Amino acid sequence: MGSVQIVTTILAAAITAVAVWLAVRAVMKMTAVIRLGQPAPERFADKGARTAKMLVETAGHTRMLKWSVVGAAHWFVMVGFIVLSLLVLEAYFEVVTPGGGLPIVGHWTVFGLATEWIGILGLIGIVVLMAIRLRNRPTRPGGLSRFTGSTMWQGYFVEWVVLLVLIFGFVIRGFKVATDHFEYPVWATPLSHAVGAVLPDWSAGVSVAALIKIAISMTWLIVISLNVTMGVAWHRFLAFPNIFFKRDPGKPAGSGLGPLRPMTSEGKPLDFEEADPEKDQFGVAQVEQFTWKGLLDFSTCTECGRCQSQCPAWNTGKPLSPKLLVLSLRDHAYAKAPYLLAGGGKDLTGEEKATEAQLAHMDVLALAEADRPLIGTAEEGGVIDPDVLWSCTTCGACVEQCPVDIEHVDHIVDMRRYQVLIESSFPSEAGVMLRNLENKGNPWGAPQNTREDWTKGLDFEVPRVGEVEDFEYLFWVGCAGAFEDRAKKTTRAVATLLNEAGVSFAILGEGETCSGDPARRIGNEFVFQMLAQQNVETLNEAFDGREKSKRKIVATCPHCFNTLGNEYGQLGGEFEVVHHTQLLAHLVSAGKLTPVQPVDGGVTYHDPCYLGRHNRIFAAPREVLGDSIQGELTEMPRNSERSFCCGAGGARMWMEEKIGKRINVDRVEEAMSTGAKTIAVGCPFCSTMLNDGVNGKGAGEDVEVVDVASVLLRSVKPDAPAGEKQTAPTPG
């Protein structure tokens, strides 16, 4: 060992020791913060399925590759980081001696070949990612950037570190070639040999370059250890457990889509018959009241802004960005952590848990952070502004796009639950809707004895449960389908088509009440459970004696479809629920319904969030429309899983849209840009919102919004009255 190697070895050991010590300290701090969260025992079930899903999502980059170029580039960088960590380890041998290398595998040509090409592709990948970040920088002229609000220096720092580590890997190999210490052939390591051809025969070059590579790597580790909220770096470690502990590893898309996470206290579902607000947690009022998985979510955020780029609220000038909401909660959690870890915190009655002696020795900044309300205006020092909380439509675009499975919607609804149930703080106009649900069983406040009025005038009898001995499907009409004029046309169209196809079905009539979706999404879990338990009891009675596979329900509203099929199971209601477009597609393919008259003028289809993104039903409505128009459907630029929300979800149907551009107008403009004369929908909320948008644009005479069922009915029975062009007052 020469003098150069002695110096490089000592320096490498010193910087590594500092970096490792800081990293261990940082990991312990992050672990302590995450463990402050509430229990979530269900996250430990199905370990085999969780492991398999984690490996598929990480190794296969299934979620990242939804953005193909970024996903491919990131995959090569990820593989480079994992595999080429071996070359960082090898650098510790190279600082000692120029001919040093990894024991055993370091002499294999296949190892040299693999690391060479992973390094080359990693270089290409990181350059692509750097170019994308620069092209989408928030300061660029024109357009919204998905990086707005991200800590840009951290992104640049991480990318430059990756680039320099890869470059110095080839510099080390180049010096080995130049000094005749390299054992891999040219065919296996062409770039290394090319670099070696231009480097001098400097015997100390290998050790010096190896020291620089170690110094860059350890500097990265030191920087991220001193910045535990640096998600753009920490996600490469935290993504694995965050994906492993996702809510439902069996889901093909975002784990937090479809059903909401039940309201829990101390890790157990809340029973409102026994719950006590002074002993049980009602929603989330303090950051430590999120589950530990929630705190892990916040820590894992990569600040990539995919969620932000797809959010309908953000894209129409609302203050909500799912990314910025998560970052605010993350920063607040870590700033408040010293207070919490020292024994501070409020109990459920608002009393301080720490003693005066403990508080006297606490960090003043942490104490100041602890005094901030979780929900509050800027003047109140709130972490999350109320306008941010109430702008969410729960469309799920954020959850669907997140590459590390953050469950934004669950966290938003948990905060809403506390605001509604304990603080009674929510947009005033939604209060009418909630009172109507409690008193009338529907959000419009319509008399219950008018639920069957849509059946009047039909040329066949609509059977009711209890009046017929048997039926194949229970037709869940829903509140909109029973009371709202446009939706009633859809209900009549579906009933007519089922009758035409000879499908045996029955309705509950006045026995049906609201599914509870608006109450649950606004945060009123009490009203939701009241309605849901009533419906579960009614449905169980209607299906008495049937096994689950024969407890079939068809629903025209995706919100009812999602609630009955995905959430009633939490309350003892197990049913096979299909959307009417699925059943109609089956009936057409089986030859029980035959479209005869093509619908002309061009048709485009708007994917309802709770049908498409939340429940992955994209093909069925398109199959029905394709058969009805007997031609190609005109797709909007944002369709299928990236469909843009109509603005009505999350109980926004009953809230005023006072900030920014109206979401439904944005969507209507996109639909009209296709040139189609018919905008087909599969949801009564979407029908209302898009009709309102079309009329607002003054295009009511030229563009028509109709349900998929009505389009099919026009094709199957051209002479049947099926227009839905008539408008009605829009709630909210």
Side-chain angles (χ1 to χ4, degrees), residues 549-572:
S549 62
K550 294 183 179 179
R551 295 157 68 93
K552 298 179 182 179
I553 299 174
V554 58
T556 58
C557 175
H559 298 265
C560 295
F561 163 77
N562 178 71
T563 304
L564 272 63
N566 293 327
E567 297 185 338
Y568 275 16
Q570 300 169 3
L571 299 168

Side-chain angles (χ1 to χ4, degrees), residues 608-732:
C609 300
Y610 274 83
L611 183 64
R613 195 154 38 236
H614 278 277
N615 286 285
R616 319 306 294 172
I617 297 172
F618 303 117
R622 286 174 168 80
E623 290 169 5
V624 174
L625 291 171
D627 290 328
S628 301
I629 65 178
Q630 298 179 23
E632 290 294 320
L633 193 67
T634 305
E635 292 283 11
M636 288 183 250
R638 294 176 292 192
N639 64 76
S640 302
E641 63 187 19
R642 292 196 189 178
S643 179
F644 198 70
C645 182
C646 75
R652 289 291 323 172
M653 180 86 165
W654 291 273
M655 296 183 229
E656 293 290 346
E657 194 169 349
K658 302 173 182 177
I659 305 173
K661 183 179 182 181
R662 291 182 66 88
I663 294 172
N664 60 334
V665 171
D666 191 296
R667 186 56 166 169
V668 161
E669 288 174 351
E670 183 175 7
M672 291 173 61
S673 71
T674 66
K677 298 301 181 185
T678 299
I679 304 173
V681 298
C683 171
F685 288 7
C686 296
S687 176
T688 295
M689 298 301 285
L690 298 187
N691 258 300
D692 185 51
V694 166
N695 291 326
K697 298 293 292 184
E701 295 299 317
D702 303 312
V703 178
E704 190 176 17
V705 180
V706 293
D707 190 87
V708 171
S710 295
V711 176
L712 177 61
L713 182 60
R714 292 177 183 179
S715 182
V716 171
K717 301 179 71 175
D719 297 330
E724 291 189 21
K725 203 166 177 180
Q726 165 189 344
T727 62
T730 304

Side-chain angles (χ1 to χ4, degrees), residues 415-537:
M415 290 186 285
R416 285 183 171 187
R417 284 166 170 166
Y418 181 82
Q419 294 299 304
V420 172
L421 293 171
I422 303 299
E423 296 291 333
S424 295
S425 176
F426 51 88
S428 58
E429 60 271 19
V432 176
M433 177 268 290
L434 289 173
R435 286 193 296 274
N436 285 336
L437 287 178
E438 288 189 73
N439 300 326
K440 299 289 188 178
N442 69 85
W444 283 279
Q448 184 71 356
N449 60 11
T450 62
R451 268 197 180 268
E452 299 177 33
D453 283 1
W454 65 270
T455 63
K456 296 177 180 177
L458 292 174
D459 57 6
F460 59 92
E461 188 70 23
V462 176
R464 288 149 188 80
V465 172
E467 296 179 1
V468 289
E469 292 185 4
D470 195 20
F471 55 89
E472 184 178 4
Y473 286 95
L474 189 151
F475 181 13
W476 183 272
V477 177
C479 298
F483 301 121
E484 205 270 335
D485 286 344
R486 280 180 298 258
K488 282 197 282 187
K489 296 178 187 297
T490 300
T491 307
R492 292 165 64 88
V494 171
T496 301
L497 289 166
L498 295 182
N499 182 69
E500 183 78 10
V503 175
S504 171
F505 72 96
I507 63 171
L508 289 172
E510 294 182 27
E512 183 183 302
T513 191
C514 180
S515 68
D517 166 85
R520 189 168 227 198
R521 264 70 195 168
I522 203 173
N524 198 324
E525 186 75 2
F526 176 79
V527 171
F528 164 73
Q529 290 202 20
M530 178 186 73
L531 295 167
Q533 286 169 352
Q534 179 181 336
N535 282 325
V536 166
E537 184 178 334

Side-chain angles (χ1 to χ4, degrees), residues 176-491:
K176 281 189 169 183
V177 171
T179 56
D180 202 25
H181 288 104
F182 200 56
E183 50 198 331
Y184 305 128
V186 176
W187 67 266
T189 54
L191 182 57
S192 296
H193 279 273
V195 173
V198 299
L199 290 177
D201 182 3
W202 180 31
S203 59
V206 174
S207 296
V208 172
L211 174 63
I212 295 173
K213 181 176 181 177
I214 290 170
I216 294 169
S217 300
M218 293 304 107
T219 298
W220 174 81
L221 189 55
I222 289 170
V223 170
I224 73 167
S225 297
L226 294 173
N227 293 273
V228 290
T229 58
M230 195 171 174
V232 70
W234 281 106
H235 83 272
R236 64 189 58 197
F237 306 113
L238 297 178
F240 296 96
N242 208 54
I243 294 170
F244 179 87
F245 289 116
K246 69 193 296 184
R247 175 140 64 83
D248 185 353
K251 284 204 167 188
S255 171
L257 294 172
L260 281 173
R261 181 175 172 272
M263 193 167 166
T264 61
S265 180
E266 292 296 329
K268 299 177 182 178
L270 201 64
D271 183 349
F272 278 98
E273 292 185 3
E274 301 177 359
D276 181 353
E278 294 189 358
K279 297 178 181 179
D280 297 300
Q281 182 179 312
F282 278 52
V284 169
Q286 304 288 335
V287 72
E288 64 271 20
Q289 291 178 349
F290 288 105
T291 66
W292 61 261
K293 174 55 168 65
L295 295 177
L296 179 60
D297 271 357
F298 308 152
S299 303
T300 308
C301 179
T302 71
E303 302 190 25
C304 67
R306 289 189 178 205
C307 58
Q308 182 171 285
S309 72
Q310 303 298 303
C311 176
W314 177 261
N315 278 284
T316 53
K318 315 293 189 293
L320 168 63
S321 157
K323 177 188 72 178
L324 298 182
L325 179 139
V326 165
L327 297 187
S328 296
L329 293 170
R330 177 198 69 187
D331 293 345
H332 173 60
Y334 281 89
K336 188 178 179 181
Y339 160 78
L340 296 170
L341 293 171
K346 301 287 196 306
D347 63 21
L348 294 174
T349 63
E351 294 295 320
E352 175 60 57
K353 292 188 284 188
T355 64
E356 288 187 15
Q358 286 177 302
L359 291 173
H361 295 90
M362 283 185 187
D363 181 81
V364 292
L365 294 178
L367 283 172
E369 195 71 28
D371 285 337
R372 298 179 65 193
L374 190 65
I375 306 299
T377 62
E379 292 75 17
E380 296 166 334
V383 178
I384 304 297
D385 191 279
D387 284 335
V388 170
L389 185 68
W390 297 109
S391 290
C392 180
T393 66
T394 69
C395 71
C398 50
V399 178
E400 194 275 334
Q401 284 293 323
C402 182
V404 293
D405 280 301
I406 293 172
E407 297 161 8
H408 312 73
V409 173
D410 280 344
H411 304 320
I412 288 171
V413 172
D414 270 340
M415 290 186 285
R416 285 183 171 187
R417 284 166 170 166
Y418 181 82
Q419 294 299 304
V420 172
L421 293 171
I422 303 299
E423 296 291 333
S424 295
S425 176
F426 51 88
S428 58
E429 60 271 19
V432 176
M433 177 268 290
L434 289 173
R435 286 193 296 274
N436 285 336
L437 287 178
E438 288 189 73
N439 300 326
K440 299 289 188 178
N442 69 85
W444 283 279
Q448 184 71 356
N449 60 11
T450 62
R451 268 197 180 268
E452 299 177 33
D453 283 1
W454 65 270
T455 63
K456 296 177 180 177
L458 292 174
D459 57 6
F460 59 92
E461 188 70 23
V462 176
R464 288 149 188 80
V465 172
E467 296 179 1
V468 289
E469 292 185 4
D470 195 20
F471 55 89
E472 184 178 4
Y473 286 95
L474 189 151
F475 181 13
W476 183 272
V477 177
C479 298
F483 301 121
E484 205 270 335
D485 286 344
R486 280 180 298 258
K488 282 197 282 187
K489 296 178 187 297
T490 300
T491 307

Side-chain angles (χ1 to χ4, degrees), residues 67-111:
W67 294 25
S68 53
V69 174
V70 177
H74 191 276
W75 187 86
F76 287 119
V77 171
M78 180 199 73
V79 172
F81 176 81
I82 295 172
V83 176
L84 299 183
S85 295
L86 292 173
L87 297 188
V88 175
L89 177 61
E90 187 175 54
Y92 286 93
F93 294 92
E94 293 162 339
V95 296
V96 178
T97 174
L102 286 174
I104 306 175
V105 298
H107 303 287
W108 296 350
T109 298
V110 67
F111 177 75

